[in-house]
Structure formats: structure tokens, C-alpha cells
């Protein structure tokens, strides 16, 4: 089956009890035990497993062409579980890119997880720098985020996965911004592909969920699975149900997100008050060729630097009318955000940078909105 068909059918069937075409929502936390000690369908207690979560995990496994998927109550719960699942006999050294989701930076800078591991930041677009990092001391894990959030940097997944494999390290890709429609990290050599399902897969800014898909069985995967029910950061049945509804339209939505983002990137690129546009679909973007080879389209997220200063950037965010000034991405509504003032001291985002998550509104309306806001600076 092709992607769109799997997105609608994988992990689901017509309900054998009622004939319902859409998956019923199962809210029961506990399941009846039979006289012989067994459980019909294997469900015992909903923290351990439940029908809606299992459907979602099976669907995401199929979409990422992986071996198994483990769902969590948020993207960050998935991220912290994967990092902590690194087997103790592997080098406790993690190589991270120089631009990535701010929550990961916070987790590593402000919690014990960060202090338990040796954290190394590298420019992952530079293979020579990566080789130097590897020869200095053996790594246990390479963390990739591409396109990165918020600076939209591109990392060559196959190249980094190969360096990692040679060094005996595991590769994890945060595939949130690309989505499984546009990019398949497991086919490019990564061991785990991870999502904030909250974003494009959910797609409507109304659920919080994370998921990790593994390419094959491993001790690390077993750890992640045990973490899920033992630590208990599990998603609710309702959030799984919403994610299963959202994923059915993922491919259709991504086409519009990508097409509108490209149109808006072109508009901004030609605008006199814009200094730089960061969108991998632009031929001038330093990661354009790699993005073109490892992605089927360039995504719905872009950033740009305003000519001027931080106040000018904030003024635009405060002047737009259709864009909502809000954090997050991947929803039907378009969002604009000044990351530097949100991230504060730890930020690596330039203070004239604005991030746009292009929603499903008409692109001409979005362009007119940006145009009137840019006229105010
Ligand atoms: C939002 C996001 C996360 C965190 O996900 P939550 O569901 O908010 O916990 C991780 N990575 C990326 C790239 C994100 O955009």
C-alpha cells in the first residue's frame, strides 16, 4: 500500500462488533481477565496498552516503514525516553546539531538528563567536523533534526547515519518538521524516527502526543517500550483517536502547506524589507540540494530575517491579522513567532528572525497580510 492508503487503513478496521467505519474511542482503563488468566486481545490496563494507542502505533509504524512504534503523552516525553533509553554499556556521549527544537536544549541544559550525558554540539552539515568529533572520543548517539527548528538548517541524514554506524553509535532523527510524508529517516539509515505528533500529524493544534518509530528490534527499543508503561507518560485514548483522525489527511494537508510555503518564501525573498529567507525550497538555501534529494517536498515551515532590528521583527508579529502570534507549528492556522524573545538567554535564534508555520488558509491572503505588516516598519 502507498502512503495515503496506509494513513487511512493501517492499524484500523471496520469495528467487528458494531460495523462502525471510524475507530471507536475506548475509554476503559481496565480489561476483564478470563478464567484461564488470559485477556481477550491482550489488553489488561490502559497504561500498558489500549486499542486506540495500539492502532496509532501500528499506523505510524507503517507510515515510517519501521519495525515498531511507541507513543507518548508529548513529543518531549518521547524525546526524553529515547535519550534515557540509550543502553548503559554504550558511550554516554550525545552529539547534537547546532540548531534544534528549543525544548531539547532546555531538557539537556536544565535537568539531570543533561548532566548524566556528555553533550557535544556540532555543525552536522560538516562531515569533517563530525569525523573529528568521533575520533576525539566514541559517541553513543547522534541526534538529528532536519529541517531544523527555527533556523531551517538541513542535515544529510544518510551521511550522518553512516558516520554514526561506523562509530557504533545510534542515530535518532526528530522528523517532526518534515513528517513521514516528505522524509523517511529509517530508509536513509537512521535507527529511530521521532515525532511531535502534536504538530503536522495531529494537524489541528488540538492534541499533545509524541511517538518514536524504530527501524528494528534492539535493547534500546525494549528500553523505550518499558519506559512507556513503567514511567507512565502515555497518551490518552482520546488524543490517540484524534491523531488517527488527523493522520488520514496528512498527505493532502502537506501538499497545501508545502505549496503555500514556497509561494510565501518567494514573496518574502523578493521583498525589500527582508534580509534573508530560510526555506530549503529556495535554490539559494545552503541545504537545498540535500533537501531535494532526501525530501519529496520542502515543508510548511520557514523563517526570515527582517532588515532592521528586534523591534521591527516584533512589530511585524504584532501587526499581522490572519497569522496568529503563537508558538507551535503544523496546524491549520498560520502562526508567526519571534523565537529569540520566547527562548530568552539560551536562544541561538537571531533577534530579527521570525518563524512562520504556514497553515491551510489561502496563500494570497497570507501574502497580503505579510505585505501590510511589512509596510509598517
Ligand atoms: C514541538 C516539537 C517537539 C516537542 O513536542 P511536544 O509535543 O510539544 O512535546 C519536538 N521537536 C520538534 C521539532 C518540535 O517542533
Amino acid at each position: 500500500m502507498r502512503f495515503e492508503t496506509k494513513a487511512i487503513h493501517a492499524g484500523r478496521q471496520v469495528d467487528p462488533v458494531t460495523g462502525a467505519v471510524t475507530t471507536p474511542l475506548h475509554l476503559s482503563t481496565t480489561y476483564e481477565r478470563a478464567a484461564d488468566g488470559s485477556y481477550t486481545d491482550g489488553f489488561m490496563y490502559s497504561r500498558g496498552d489500549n486499542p486506540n494507542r495500539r492502532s496509532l502505533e501500528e499506523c505510524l509504524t507503517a507510515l515510517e516503514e519501521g519495525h515498531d512504534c511507541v507513543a507518548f503523552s508529548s513529543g518531549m516525553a518521547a524525546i526524553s525516553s529515547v535519550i534515557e533509553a540509550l543502553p548503559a554499556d554504550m558511550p554516554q556521549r550525545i552529539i547534537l546539531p547546532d540548531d534544534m527544537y528549543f525544548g531539547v536544549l532546555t531538557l539537556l541544559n536544565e535537568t539531570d538528563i543533561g548532566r548524566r550525558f556528555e553533550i557535544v554540539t556540532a555543525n552536522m552539515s560538516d562531515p569533517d567536523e563530525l569525523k573529528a568529533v568521533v575520533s576525539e572520543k566514541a559517541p553513543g548517539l547522534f541526534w538529528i533534526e532536519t529541517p531544523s527548528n527555527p533556523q531551517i538548517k538541513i542535515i544529510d541524514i544518510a551521511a550522518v547515519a553512516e558516520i554514526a554506524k561506523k562509530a557504533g553509535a545510534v542515530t535518532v532523527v526528530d522528523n517532526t518538521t518534515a513528517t513521514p510524508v516528505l522524509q523517511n529517516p529509517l530508509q536513509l539509515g537512521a535507527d529511530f524516527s521521532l515525532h511531535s505528533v502534536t504538530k503536522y500529524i495531529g494537524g489541528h493544534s488540538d492534541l499533545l502526543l509524541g511517538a518514536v518509530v524504530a527501524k528494528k528490534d534492539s535493547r534500546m527499543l525494549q528500553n523505550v517500550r518499558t519506559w512507556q508503561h513503567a514511567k507512565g507518560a502515555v497518551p490518552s485514548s482520546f488524543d490517540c483517536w484524534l491523531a488517527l483522525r488527523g493522520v488520514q489527511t496528512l498527505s493532502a494537508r502537506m501538499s497545501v502547506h508545502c505549496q503555500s510555503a514556497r509561494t510565501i518564501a518567494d514573496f518574502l525573498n523578493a521583498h525589500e524589507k527582508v534580509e534573508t529567507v530560510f526555506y530549503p525550497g529556495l535554490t539559494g538555501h545552503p541545504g537545498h540540494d540535500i533537501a531535494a534529494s532526501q525530501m519529496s517536498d520542502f515543508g510548511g515551515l520557514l523563517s526570515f530575517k527582517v532588515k532592521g532590528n528586534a523591534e521591527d521583527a516584533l512589530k511585524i508579529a504584532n501587526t499581522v491579522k490572519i497569522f496568529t502570534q503563537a508558538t507551535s507549528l503544523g496546524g491549520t492556522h498560520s502562526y508567526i513567532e519571534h523565537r529569540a524573545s520566547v527562548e530568552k538567554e539560551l536562544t541561538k535564534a537571531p533577534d530579527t528572525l521570525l518563524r512562520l508555520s504556514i497553515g491551510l488558509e489561502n496563500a494570497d491572503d497570507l501574502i497580503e497580510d505579510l505585505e501590510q505588516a511589512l509596510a509598517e516598519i
Side-chain angles (χ1 to χ4, degrees):
M1 279 192 274
R2 291 164 184 83
F3 189 94
E4 292 75 10
T5 315
K6 289 192 283 192
I8 291 163
H9 294 282
R12 283 149 292 174
Q13 55 175 355
V14 170
D15 181 41
V17 179
T18 61
V21 172
T22 56
T23 311
L25 171 60
H26 294 276
L27 295 174
S28 186
T29 51
T30 191
Y31 293 81
E32 188 181 37
R33 188 179 180 188
D36 66 358
S38 69
Y39 292 88
T40 324
D41 289 330
F43 300 112
M44 175 188 175
Y45 184 59
S46 62
R47 172 158 44 77
D49 199 1
N50 68 67
N52 296 111
R53 193 173 92 203
R54 188 184 287 179
S55 288
L56 178 65
E57 290 177 343
E58 284 177 15
C59 180
L60 296 180
T61 301
L63 295 183
E64 286 273 9
E65 296 174 39
H67 163 74
D68 198 9
C69 167
V70 188
F72 288 90
S73 54
S74 68
M76 283 312 301
I79 288 172
S80 56
S81 296
V82 168
I83 291 176
E84 289 192 280
L86 184 68
D89 58 1
M90 287 182 69
Q92 302 293 292
R93 186 169 196 249
I94 302 178
I95 318 300
L96 295 151
D98 53 8
D99 184 51
M100 65 184 157
Y101 180 65
F102 189 65
V104 183
L105 210 61
T106 309
L107 175 79
L108 297 174
N109 276 289
E110 296 181 5
T111 75
D112 275 351
I113 295 184
R115 287 184 274 277
R116 286 211 328 262
F117 293 93
E118 189 189 339
I119 307 296
V120 180
T121 305
N123 173 5
M124 289 210 180
S125 313
D126 180 356
D128 291 336
E129 186 173 327
L130 280 187
K131 283 174 190 152
V133 165
V134 169
S135 58
E136 192 181 281
K137 196 172 164 197
L141 193 155
F142 279 81
W143 191 268
I144 296 177
E145 185 180 310
T146 179
S148 73
N149 176 4
Q151 297 192 51
I152 325 290
K153 292 190 179 178
I154 300 295
I155 296 171
D156 185 335
I157 297 174
V160 176
E162 181 151 347
I163 292 172
K165 196 164 280 167
K166 277 194 187 131
V170 169
T171 305
V172 181
V173 177
D174 183 335
N175 203 27
T176 301
T177 57
T179 80
V181 184
L182 306 184
Q183 179 169 277
N184 193 322
L186 303 184
Q187 303 309 307
L188 294 164
D191 300 290
F192 294 91
S193 177
L194 180 151
H195 289 277
S196 169
V197 176
T198 313
K199 312 294 166 54
Y200 288 104
I201 297 178
H204 298 75
S205 303
D206 56 8
L207 67 94
L208 200 62
L209 205 145
V212 186
V213 185
K215 184 171 185 163
K216 56 181 190 310
D217 199 12
S218 65
R219 275 186 306 145
M220 189 156 158
L221 171 62
Q222 300 301 332
N223 282 347
V224 175
R225 179 62 80 185
T226 305
W227 262 215
Q228 181 193 39
H229 61 83
K231 291 194 171 181
V234 291
S236 72
S237 296
F238 186 49
D239 278 353
C240 292
W241 186 89
L242 281 174
L244 279 165
R245 182 167 74 162
V247 78
Q248 298 179 59
T249 54
L250 179 62
S251 178
R253 284 185 283 110
M254 287 316 293
S255 307
V256 179
H257 287 304
C258 292
Q259 197 184 332
S260 297
R262 190 192 314 238
T263 309
I264 290 164
D266 284 336
F267 159 77
L268 289 170
N269 209 27
H271 200 285
E272 55 174 12
K273 288 181 183 164
V274 172
E275 191 180 302
T276 325
V277 181
F278 303 98
Y279 185 65
L282 296 172
T283 49
H285 187 284
H288 174 75
D289 289 348
I290 291 166
S293 72
Q294 71 187 13
M295 299 174 76
S296 60
D297 207 336
F298 300 102
L301 195 66
L302 62 115
S303 294
F304 66 101
K305 280 203 290 194
V306 176
K307 264 186 203 155
N309 55 31
E311 279 83 74
D312 295 318
L314 275 164
K315 178 141 197 212
I316 291 169
N318 289 327
T319 310
V320 285
K321 296 189 174 80
I322 296 174
F323 280 86
T324 305
Q325 186 174 190
T327 198
S328 200
L329 54 105
T332 51
H333 296 59
S334 292
Y335 300 134
I336 188 165
E337 192 174 36
H338 183 251
R339 288 299 305 171
S341 56
V342 173
E343 298 177 2
K344 305 198 170 70
E345 301 82 43
L346 280 176
T347 195
K348 292 177 180 178
D351 66 1
T352 57
L353 183 129
L354 289 167
R355 185 186 74 192
L356 303 180
S357 171
I358 304 304
L360 301 180
E361 301 95 337
N362 187 295
D364 292 336
D365 287 331
L366 296 174
I367 286 175
E368 282 168 25
D369 193 23
L370 289 169
E371 193 148 41
Q372 65 83 20
L374 282 159
E376 295 296 316
I377 64 164

